[in-house]
Amino acid sequence: MSDFAARRTTMVDTQVRPSDVTKFPIIDAMLTVPREDFVPAAQREAAYLGENLDLGQGRVVLDPRTLAKMLDHLAIENDELVLDVGCAMGYSSAVIAHMAEAVVAVEEDEAMAAEAQEALAQVGADNVVVHVGPLAEGAPQHGPYDVVIIQGAVAELPEALVDQIKDGGRIACLFMEEGLGEVRIGYKQGAQLSWRSEFNAGAPVLRGFERQVAFQL
């Protein structure tokens, strides 16, 4: 039988800490949340590899380093409401639940959303609500949000998600351009976002987040 607890410690010691992620709530959450319970059964043995975990149909569980560094730059406080877009089977939401007051986890795949609800209940993440619907639409009925994080890459950020960020709030996006990816943190002031580039990463572009091509007649 695999010693997943030991693998969690190794993941944090070899993937997370060396990436200059030192905030205690992130380290504690990633040492605590059983990542293997939030992936398909056939991929449990691969749960702690330092790479994106392929879920098929252009969806992944982001590699531990990328998620940890996103959370580090977002600096989520324990009184904040977080929108987790593309939660898949709920791992990212379970981690964020350790640092936020509440999490709204958006998933458009009904089967994955159901598995997320079950797995989140199993780990006692009772401050997470799973919302089933298109990722690009977010969950406006529960917002606005202090923090938005997207579990996959974007080529273009839907305006619907920008509208759901509180004035003074922030968003983490992995922008992919011509095969190169960069995580940026956006800070909202009024109706505008100002972006700061933070680190390189990679993931498939999510459906609904592709660059819109303008057709000219």
Side-chain angles (χ1 to χ4, degrees):
M1 182 175 291
S2 297
D3 186 350
F4 287 116
R7 293 192 194 187
R8 273 195 297 284
T9 300
T10 300
M11 174 189 76
V12 169
D13 288 345
T14 63
Q15 300 175 44
V16 177
R17 293 186 199 271
S19 299
D20 295 324
V21 177
T22 58
K23 292 185 176 67
F24 174 77
I26 301 171
I27 299 295
D28 182 56
M30 298 190 88
L31 284 171
T32 302
V33 176
R35 188 174 165 95
E36 71 276 7
D37 290 347
F38 292 88
V39 304
Q43 293 173 279
R44 284 170 64 87
E45 290 297 324
Y48 292 96
L49 295 179
E51 58 191 44
N52 294 333
L53 189 66
D54 187 6
L55 299 175
Q57 299 183 331
R59 298 294 303 280
V60 298
V61 180
L62 289 177
D63 74 272
R65 168 191 172 272
T66 298
L67 177 62
K69 286 179 71 67
M70 280 180 154
L71 296 175
D72 189 62
H73 289 294
L74 285 169
I76 296 166
E77 300 288 341
N78 60 12
D79 61 350
E80 291 187 314
L81 176 62
V82 178
L83 180 68
D84 186 24
V85 178
C87 71
M89 294 172 66
Y91 175 72
S92 53
S93 300
V95 170
I96 296 165
H98 279 255
M99 51 201 77
E101 181 172 9
V103 182
V104 177
V106 181
E107 180 48 59
E108 62 187 14
D109 183 294
E110 293 187 6
M112 284 202 291
E115 295 200 54
Q117 286 182 314
E118 183 176 346
L120 287 162
Q122 288 289 327
V123 299
D126 55 6
N127 60 337
V128 180
V129 173
V130 178
H131 172 86
V132 182
L135 305 186
E137 294 180 9
Q141 61 269 54
H142 299 293
Y145 301 93
D146 299 288
V147 175
V148 176
I149 182 170
I150 301 174
Q151 302 298 326
V154 310
E156 195 165 287
L157 181 62
E159 201 63 34
L161 292 182
V162 177
D163 292 343
Q164 292 170 49
I165 307 170
K166 285 183 182 176
D167 188 11
R170 54 219 186 274
I171 181 171
C173 291
L174 198 179
F175 285 93
M176 291 295 293
E177 296 176 2
E178 299 180 353
L180 299 175
E182 181 180 67
V183 171
R184 303 171 193 160
I185 306 297
Y187 300 87
K188 191 173 185 183
Q189 297 294 332
Q192 301 297 316
L193 283 172
S194 60
W195 294 96
R196 188 164 69 195
S197 299
E198 298 295 359
F199 64 96
N200 296 330
V205 174
L206 294 168
R207 183 173 63 182
F209 295 78
E210 305 92 344
R211 189 169 305 286
Q212 301 303 308
V213 178
F215 291 96
Q216 294 183 345
L217 296 176

